[in-house]
Amino acid sequence: MALNPTGEQASSATNATPYGTLPPASPPSTRKPISLPRIQEMHTRGEKITMLTAYDATFAAVADAAGVECILVGDSLGMVCQGRHSTVGVTLDDMAYHTESVARGLRRAQGTAWLIGDLPFGSYQESKEQAIRSASVIMQAGAHMVKLEGGGWTTEVVQFLVERGIPVCAHLGLTPQTVHALGGYRVQGRGDAAADVMKKQAHELQDAGASLLVLEMVPAPLSAELTRELPNCATIGIGAGKGTAGQVLVLHDMLGVNLGKNPKFVRNFMLEASSIRGAMEAYVAAVKNGSFPDDAVHAW
Ligand code: KIV
């Protein structure tokens, strides 16, 4: 039996296609669309921001119906959808395809989530001009914002994109596209010297106009300090403790269906829910009330 994004039974009469029954659109949402000013306002007020990855129309619509505010079409799709060991092999065409699918799902469900698309490895490292060409592909696929990894050299790329009207989410800490240079999936920013570099890069990214900053596998005290120091750039943590402005998890990890071992910072929300939408709602509630992440369990 088909379920629509609100978890109700679908009426197969209305959505039968030659290819099968599609989930119908949910009733018009009563939530206001998430926008950059709303995200900034949540950061200022101290309301936690929720983000999950999604790679297809249906899961995006369910996440939106569950109240997830930001949906990231992450290049983690290289692992969870394509079965790769890293994100390095993901192409701009792959990202455009999945971003378009997610955007279509959100439109169809009259969703309100803020949609972020990753710029994949090799699509922005060459020049600012290459970055804007790639970002345009992702924006035209339906994203509201692009995400790119790294600090230092990325500052001028971020500024170039922001000045041309493309909102940017930066990403520091463990940056999976450079996993080979980093020597593996390990915590970043440990020790005073590494922490100082990260702080400098984070400030530069805020000054360049980045509106969001993903902090991945960063010690909890450092990410909490960065969050306090960056009033205009909301931090979104993954394995970075509870002191960030918001949290993100890879969808398959939080549903307990990934191909490998779950990293320490993941909580399997399916263990406390009877449906996928229920698991997403539990995630949203836990982030909002501060019970996820638990620094004693999920952080460094
Ligand atoms: O690609 C991705 O899913 C990400 C998140 C882990 C933040 O970058």
Side-chain angles (χ1 to χ4, degrees):
M1 178 66 71
L3 296 180
N4 70 20
T6 63
E8 295 148 353
Q9 283 186 356
S11 143
S12 52
T14 49
N15 281 282
T17 77
Y19 312 104
T21 304
L22 297 173
S26 12
S29 174
T30 50
R31 289 197 295 147
K32 281 200 294 187
I34 305 293
S35 60
L36 269 190
R38 279 198 66 198
I39 292 171
Q40 174 59 38
E41 192 243 327
M42 287 170 74
H43 178 31
T44 306
R45 261 192 302 117
E47 178 182 345
K48 297 285 181 184
I49 301 159
T50 57
M51 186 187 293
L52 274 183
T53 67
Y55 316 100
D56 68 30
T58 307
F59 278 95
V62 176
D64 181 273
V68 175
E69 284 133 354
C70 302
I71 294 184
L72 169 66
V73 186
D75 59 0
S76 51
L77 69 85
M79 276 93 118
V80 298
C81 301
Q82 300 175 332
R84 300 177 190 275
H85 286 290
S86 81
T87 60
V88 175
V90 176
T91 67
L92 188 59
D93 282 350
D94 295 335
M95 290 309 308
Y97 172 87
H98 287 274
T99 303
E100 213 171 309
S101 303
V102 165
R104 225 180 270 130
L106 290 176
R107 257 197 313 277
R108 188 169 162 165
Q110 299 177 34
T112 57
W114 180 252
L115 178 54
I116 304 157
D118 258 343
L119 292 182
F121 179 71
S123 74
Y124 59 97
Q125 284 85 350
E126 194 180 309
S127 64
K128 298 179 295 197
E129 290 74 16
Q130 186 205 25
I132 198 150
R133 276 195 302 275
S134 302
S136 303
V137 171
I138 299 303
M139 298 296 282
Q140 285 175 344
H144 303 130
M145 167 181 252
V146 297
K147 178 165 82 60
L148 52 82
E149 296 183 5
W153 67 272
T154 56
T155 305
E156 66 164 354
V157 177
V158 170
Q159 185 171 344
F160 192 76
L161 296 180
V162 171
E163 279 171 349
R164 283 153 185 78
I166 299 181
V168 176
C169 174
H171 185 155
L172 292 177
L174 188 271
T175 44
Q177 292 175 10
T178 48
V179 63
H180 301 302
L182 295 174
Y185 295 95
R186 42 177 77 169
V187 181
Q188 303 295 312
R190 275 190 161 141
D192 288 349
D196 285 347
V197 171
M198 200 180 295
K199 282 186 214 170
K200 180 170 181 293
Q201 292 179 344
H203 278 278
E204 287 168 354
L205 288 163
Q206 173 180 257
D207 295 346
S211 317
L212 291 178
L213 170 61
V214 167
L215 293 173
E216 182 164 355
M217 292 182 74
V218 172
L222 174 57
S223 49
E225 188 180 342
L226 284 173
T227 304
R228 287 191 299 272
E229 285 183 2
L230 300 174
N232 303 321
C233 181
T235 57
I236 306 291
I238 173 164
K242 65 192 305 145
T244 49
Q247 297 290 328
V248 60
L249 281 178
V250 168
L251 174 66
H252 294 56
D253 288 349
M254 59 82 73
L255 295 178
V257 291
N258 69 15
L259 292 174
K261 197 167 145 273
N262 255 348
K264 148 183 170 144
F265 54 78
V266 171
R267 177 160 135 196
N268 179 353
F269 284 88
M270 274 309 277
L271 297 177
E272 55 204 88
S274 57
S275 68
I276 288 171
R277 176 169 165 175
M280 292 175 177
E281 285 171 345
Y283 166 74
V284 171
V287 172
K288 294 278 181 199
N289 70 27
S291 60
F292 178 79
D294 175 353
D295 283 359
V297 180
H298 304 111
W300 289 272

